[in-house]
Amino acid sequence: MAGLIHIYCGDGKGKTTAAVGLAIRSAGAGNRVVFTQFFKDGSSSEISLLRQIPNITVLHTKTVGGFWKCMTTEQQAQASRDYTELFQAACISAKNAELLVLDEIVSACNHGTVPEDAVLDFLKSKPENLEVVLTGRNPSEALLVQADYVTEMKKVKHPFDRGVLARKGIEY
């Protein structure tokens, strides 16, 4: 069976968590997994566990992390260079994998740090058996058309709305 394309999107908590769960499930089935993060520096709690699983390769860049709106112009330019290079490295690594997770790639496309055309070209020409997961808010119509699964996480209520900051082991 050909690998399918998943998008986990929305304003709710759980996009990365769902991708992590699928990565663990896939690795548990003996599949090779490439788990790639954009806008994150690899320090989230789940990454330390994913690194311990033999079939999972974790890719990220430490040069620029965090929210786009908080980056300087120089950091945004560096992020564009680094994230485009990271995406290319993920595509190369995925040639030997059964699952590729591109966590926050939708955000990278929305901010222009990774050209959406490059992502679309990859999705259209990906290895036949490669399953691909894309996460992030507000995927474009073009990305939605390419997807086989689209799951939207919708925030109904979140402690951040009343000033509770992200907590280690829960939100990161």
Side-chain angles (χ1 to χ4, degrees), residues 1-5 32 34 90-91 93-101 122 126-132:
M1 166 130 185
L4 302 178
I5 299 168
R32 292 161 298 185
V34 177
C91 293
S93 294
K95 290 180 181 177
N96 298 314
E98 285 77 35
L99 174 65
L100 171 62
V101 175
F122 172 75
K126 69 176 186 58
E128 183 180 348
N129 294 322
L130 181 66
E131 202 87 6
V132 180

Side-chain angles (χ1 to χ4, degrees), residues 29-168:
N31 293 326
R32 292 161 298 185
V33 177
V34 177
F35 194 96
T36 310
Q37 289 191 308
F38 301 84
F39 293 103
K40 298 176 181 177
D41 65 3
S43 64
S44 293
S45 299
E46 69 274 9
I47 296 302
S48 62
L49 182 59
L50 289 176
R51 283 193 178 108
Q52 295 176 40
I53 300 172
N55 291 359
I56 299 180
T57 300
V58 176
L59 301 175
H60 60 85
T61 178
K62 285 190 177 271
T63 55
V64 183
F67 295 109
W68 181 257
K69 65 184 176 185
C70 297
M71 291 181 192
T72 65
T73 303
E74 293 81 22
Q75 288 173 319
Q76 289 175 348
Q78 186 66 49
S80 293
R81 290 188 296 274
D82 292 348
Y83 296 166
T84 296
E85 185 177 301
L86 179 62
F87 173 69
Q88 292 166 346
C91 293
I92 291 167
S93 294
K95 290 180 181 177
N96 298 314
E98 285 77 35
L99 174 65
L100 171 62
V101 175
L102 298 168
D103 186 35
E104 292 297 342
I105 190 71
V106 173
S107 299
C109 290
N110 289 344
H111 293 298
T113 58
V114 174
E116 186 174 282
D117 288 345
V119 174
L120 290 167
D121 287 346
F122 172 75
L123 294 175
K124 291 173 186 170
S125 64
K126 69 176 186 58
E128 183 180 348
N129 294 322
L130 181 66
E131 202 87 6
V132 180
V133 174
L134 300 89
T135 74
R137 296 176 183 223
N138 305 313
S140 70
E141 186 62 31
L143 287 173
L144 292 171
V145 166
Q146 287 302 308
D148 299 291
Y149 296 88
V150 177
T151 302
E152 182 177 8
M153 279 58 164
K154 181 178 186 245
K155 180 184 82 162
V156 174
K157 184 177 183 181
H158 195 291
F160 184 78
D161 296 336
R162 54 178 212 271
V164 177
L165 299 179
R167 297 164 299 144
K168 186 173 180 97

